[in-house]
Amino acid sequence: MGLGEALKGAITRFMSRGRHDKEALEELIRDIQRALLSADVHVELVMEISDRIRRRAAEVTPPPGVSRREMVFKIVFDELVQLLGGAHGPYKPLKKPTVLMVVGIQGSGKTTSVAKLAHYFSRNGYRVGVVCADTYRPAAYQQLQQLLAEKNIPVLGEPESDDAVGIAKKGVEILRQQGAEIIIVDTAGRHKDQESLMSELKEIQKLIQPDEVVLVLDSTIGQRARSQAEAFHKVAGVGWVMLTKMDTSARAGGALSAVAATGAPVRFIGTGERLEDIETFSADRYLTRLLGMPDLVSLVERVKLAEVSFSESSAERMLSGRFTIEEMVRQARELTKMGPLEKIISSLPIPGAKSQQLDDLEAQVRRWEAIVNSMTPEERRDPTIIDSSRARRIARGAGVSEKDVKRLIKQYSEMRRLMKRLKRDAGRIPKGLLEGLMRRGIGGPLEG
Ligand SMILES: Nc1nc2c(ncn2[C@@H]2O[C@H](COP(=O)(O)OP(=O)(O)OP(=O)(O)O)[C@@H](O)[C@H]2O)c(=O)[nH]1
Ligand SMILES: [Mg+2]
């Protein structure tokens, strides 16, 4: 029985039990433990996840309209998502330049993935360069060049040389000098033997000092993914995983163990042979696929909506200073999904809040989303660079007026300023205040 089925069985049993009590919870935890252990998830991780489910289930108070049983399911789902490396926003390089060294066994899809990643990053506004340090596969360099033909992305390599280490070092150096922001190094998958492959990788790593080692794993290989992941992890320390061939595989369960074994999250998946067939990975979507229980998963959505929208983590994120304009708009969107807005709003101690209508909020948030979508990544990171000509461009792209763009930016800087102020009093923020501020803020700048 695969991991997906085992987890599904555990959850179905739990959901169909007549009573929800301690005994039912313990049975569920035991079933989950068994499922994870038989899929080779490390015993320590299994114990950790069990403890967390038990503790959270004991502490939680379900929101109105959600049963305790549903709430427990939501907790289990959350914890499994965490096990998969957590929910991540889109991948952002740690620093510039970021050097990624891509490793994996023969045929796993490394070279294809290197090209896909390069193309993806380039389309997201980064200057990207690629190095082919695979001297074993015949025509490895040509393959990479062909994949990226006419994409305006430099592909460095020396087809005549067999010094992979030297090629990697030189290639990275040249791309650094050329001002590349993300440098991706493709490595060999085939070799004389496993040992010589690993020692070559080690040597390349030592010389180029990559910021992150990316493991490419074929999702169709099932349980073998784990030993592969461990072998590479031991040698090079895997930073994150790209899971390939998700289009041809329904057996992605092995990958779960692999990810759990290394503690490295999956950040991207490959979904076909073309350059465009790449998706940022979302642990919850993946889990949905693995469990194959759309009904229960939409239940998770329902519980999410019923929960107070300002979860601890988003309040924390907002207060920790990493409050981006995207985050603000995302939070605003969350608020519009909350249902009986009038009721919530009128319960807030904010003058003027009562008059806001759901329709207004919807329309405003939609405008905000359009505006943020029309910004470049750079502008999203730092909206203060948006001058009049940028604002005009953004407004045109979003189909709104320039004034709308300026209002949003003003709103954002106001919110940020408030966040900073609130941070000082973090311990004493009354419940609901942040949410109230956001709601109020959707209507327009807080002051003036
Ligand atoms: N369907 C599908 N095929 C893929 C995907 N990624 C890679 N492939 C195919 O898998 C095969 C091997 O891909 P490569 O990128 O050459 O694999 P590699 O790991 O670089 O192989 P070596 O360099 O020989 O070790 C090719 O036929 C790719 O088109 C994917 O996400 N979906
Ligand atoms: Mg290759």
Side-chain angles (χ1 to χ4, degrees), residues 104-114 116 134 137 140 143 147 186-190 216 242-248 269-274 277:
I105 66 150
Q106 173 176 339
S108 55
K110 282 180 302 304
T111 305
T112 314
S113 298
V114 165
K116 285 177 179 177
D134 178 0
R137 188 191 193 279
Q143 184 193 6
L147 282 163
D186 188 17
T187 63
R190 58 193 78 188
V216 172
M242 172 144 178
L243 215 51
T244 62
K245 310 184 194 178
M246 289 291 274
D247 51 316
T248 61
I269 57 174
T271 54
E273 301 200 19
R274 295 170 318 149
D277 298 329

Side-chain angles (χ1 to χ4, degrees), residues 73-74 77-78 296-305:
F73 170 69
K74 157 94 171 18
F77 190 89
D78 280 354
L296 281 182
V297 174
S298 69
L299 171 74
V300 171
E301 286 308 308
R302 194 158 66 71
V303 176
K304 262 194 213 145
L305 292 185

Side-chain angles (χ1 to χ4, degrees), residues 79-383:
E79 289 297 337
L80 289 171
V81 168
Q82 282 305 315
L83 185 73
L84 275 169
H88 284 280
Y91 174 80
K92 289 206 178 95
L94 299 170
K95 61 180 186 51
K96 288 180 191 172
T98 281
V99 178
L100 303 177
M101 173 173 153
V102 177
V103 303
I105 66 150
Q106 173 176 339
S108 55
K110 282 180 302 304
T111 305
T112 314
S113 298
V114 165
K116 285 177 179 177
L117 287 168
H119 186 235
Y120 172 87
F121 290 134
S122 160
R123 280 211 312 206
N124 278 276
Y126 294 99
R127 240 181 302 162
V128 185
V130 170
V131 183
C132 172
D134 178 0
T135 55
Y136 275 82
R137 188 191 193 279
Y141 175 69
Q142 284 82 353
Q143 184 193 6
L144 203 45
Q145 243 186 349
Q146 264 162 26
L147 282 163
L148 287 171
E150 286 162 46
K151 295 294 175 202
N152 214 3
I153 295 170
V155 178
L156 303 189
E158 294 171 41
E160 308 305 325
S161 159
D162 60 3
D163 172 19
V165 181
I167 297 172
K169 183 164 188 293
K170 204 153 50 166
V172 170
E173 256 161 37
I174 292 172
L175 290 171
R176 260 183 213 280
Q177 275 160 19
Q178 291 179 354
E181 295 167 314
I182 301 181
I183 300 170
I184 311 178
V185 181
D186 188 17
T187 63
R190 58 193 78 188
H191 227 273
K192 294 196 290 292
D193 50 53
Q194 168 111 342
E195 218 166 285
S196 72
L197 171 66
M198 293 299 180
S199 75
E200 179 178 285
L201 291 180
K202 233 189 215 159
E203 220 174 309
I204 294 179
Q205 186 179 26
K206 209 168 81 197
L207 273 181
I208 67 172
Q209 301 269 324
D211 298 285
E212 290 173 307
V213 173
V214 178
L215 173 66
V216 172
L217 270 183
D218 180 337
S219 65
T220 63
I221 63 171
Q223 297 296 327
R224 272 181 298 142
R226 181 186 156 91
S227 57
Q228 269 182 32
E230 274 178 339
F232 283 103
H233 192 53
K234 212 169 99 204
V235 171
V238 174
W240 49 271
V241 175
M242 172 144 178
L243 215 51
T244 62
K245 310 184 194 178
M246 289 291 274
D247 51 316
T248 61
S249 162
R251 303 166 44 210
L256 175 67
S257 325
V259 170
T262 58
V266 178
R267 308 282 332 215
F268 288 93
I269 57 174
T271 54
E273 301 200 19
R274 295 170 318 149
L275 213 50
E276 294 78 22
D277 298 329
I278 177 171
E279 285 173 28
T280 56
F281 175 77
S282 127
D284 44 356
R285 250 190 297 148
Y286 175 65
L287 197 58
T288 307
R289 230 184 280 189
L290 187 68
L291 291 176
M293 305 169 92
D295 292 353
L296 281 182
V297 174
S298 69
L299 171 74
V300 171
E301 286 308 308
R302 194 158 66 71
V303 176
K304 262 194 213 145
L305 292 185
E307 281 177 320
V308 176
S309 64
F310 270 82
S311 62
E312 274 163 29
S313 75
S314 52
E316 244 165 47
R317 199 158 53 232
M318 287 171 83
L319 288 173
S320 71
R322 276 173 293 139
F323 178 63
T324 63
I325 196 161
E326 282 162 300
E327 176 70 13
M328 181 173 90
V329 173
R330 204 177 60 73
Q331 292 293 350
R333 169 54 71 198
E334 285 301 306
L335 290 180
T336 65
K337 291 195 215 148
M338 284 285 302
L341 270 183
E342 298 292 352
K343 223 168 115 200
I344 299 172
I345 292 171
S346 56
S347 70
L348 293 168
I350 296 171
K354 281 186 179 60
S355 59
Q356 276 185 11
Q357 298 293 321
L358 183 59
D359 288 353
D360 292 352
L361 289 174
E362 258 296 327
Q364 181 68 279
V365 170
R366 224 177 303 125
R367 263 198 302 278
W368 278 14
E369 284 170 342
I371 293 171
V372 169
N373 282 337
S374 298
M375 292 181 176
T376 64
E378 204 187 355
E379 288 163 350
R380 275 176 226 160
R381 270 193 300 274
D382 179 15

